[in-house]
Amino acid sequence: QSALTQPRSVSGSPGQPVTLSCTGTSSDVGGYNYVSWYQQLPGKAPKLLIYDVSKRPSGVPGRFSGSKSGNTASLTISGLQAEDEADYYCCSYAGSYTLVFGGGTKLTVL
Amino acid sequence: VQLVQSGAEVKKPGASVKISCKFSGYTFTDYYIHWVQQAPGKGLEWMGLVDPEDGETIYAAKFQGRVTITADTSTDTGYMELSSLRSEDTAVYYCATGIPNTFEYWGQGALVAVSS
């Protein structure tokens, strides 16, 4: 199972929107509506931001949203804040009860 | 919901390591238990899962044959054992659980260092 493809780094200015991409195949991202996104701060466990492509758990700020088109999923942060600087990982169901992560994107707030 | 993992381990190449993850705050058999590896400076890698209700397991191809994931319903504890350790297995290992196909709750992580 190959890892999903994420850009290694993305940057944006405070207050601006930023979109992180996650590209897979029809066997994972494109085949199921089970994409999730995680934020990881240095030295901490990942935190769930989005699940089932676009659902947001309670407590996650509304500026985080998810979507999917074909084999590519996206996480959009509207109104970037300094505390959003972190590593972001996507994950998709890949069939047969297996899951696959993306390589991660380092988000820098300029 | 809380997942509390065992502490850091230092192992020699060729040895095995077994990490525990104590669950509380929800019904242990409600969700699968997953294990995730993160090597230093690297990304997250899904290792496998166990269904605590019946003990059925699914492993990622990369770890098949070297990893054993179990769940003890008498103590609400999950375990991950990795054998034939090599230097590339040096990593933080996380347990996670929650709604299907999602890692909703995470343990704090357990560092395993493999060194001669």
Side-chain angles (χ1 to χ4, degrees):
Chain A
Q1 189 68 44
S2 299
L4 307 177
T5 300
Q6 296 184 250
R8 291 190 70 106
S9 64
V10 169
S11 62
S13 301
Q16 295 301 306
V18 66
T19 297
L20 282 59
S21 64
C22 170
T23 301
T25 69
S26 58
S27 297
D28 39 61
V29 174
Y32 308 94
N33 288 322
Y34 295 127
V35 176
S36 52
W37 289 88
Y38 302 86
Q39 178 193 62
Q40 188 177 34
L41 298 171
K44 300 292 187 181
K47 172 190 172 184
L48 175 65
L49 294 176
I50 297 289
Y51 68 100
D52 293 356
V53 175
S54 60
K55 297 177 181 177
R56 195 171 54 246
S58 61
V60 173
R63 65 180 184 276
F64 292 95
S65 64
S67 62
K68 189 186 84 167
S69 178
N71 295 337
T72 298
S74 299
L75 173 72
T76 297
I77 309 173
S78 62
L80 202 57
Q81 297 186 8
E83 61 261 34
D84 297 334
E85 185 161 295
D87 294 326
Y88 291 82
Y89 294 92
C90 62
C91 181
S92 175
Y93 180 70
S96 301
Y97 298 93
T98 65
L99 292 152
V100 61
F101 281 102
T105 295
K106 182 176 181 60
L107 175 63
T108 300
V109 181
L110 301 171
Chain B
V1 177
Q2 264 201 313
L3 283 63
V4 179
Q5 298 184 227
S6 49
E9 303 255 14
V10 180
K11 295 291 182 180
K12 293 195 181 303
S16 297
V17 68
K18 190 170 185 176
I19 304 169
S20 67
C21 180
K22 171 73 173 173
F23 292 73
S24 62
Y26 78 104
T27 303
F28 184 62
T29 52
D30 273 356
Y31 302 125
Y32 295 161
I33 298 168
H34 301 265
W35 288 86
V36 176
Q37 180 195 60
Q38 187 170 36
K42 301 296 185 183
L44 304 172
E45 188 148 19
W46 180 77
M47 300 179 70
L49 64 83
V50 62
D51 181 348
E53 192 148 50
D54 59 13
E56 289 289 315
T57 53
I58 300 289
Y59 299 126
K62 175 180 176 179
F63 299 99
Q64 184 83 40
R66 283 208 303 141
V67 69
T68 303
I69 297 174
T70 56
D72 183 346
T73 55
S74 68
T75 59
D76 288 356
T77 302
Y79 298 92
M80 188 282 293
E81 183 171 21
L82 190 60
S83 62
S84 303
L85 290 169
R86 38 213 190 216
S87 58
E88 311 89 89
D89 296 320
T90 293
V92 174
Y93 292 85
Y94 293 100
C95 55
T97 192
I99 51 182
N101 307 311
T102 300
F103 308 104
E104 189 176 4
Y105 306 105
W106 294 73
Q108 81 276 21
L111 174 64
V112 174
V114 182
S115 173
S116 55

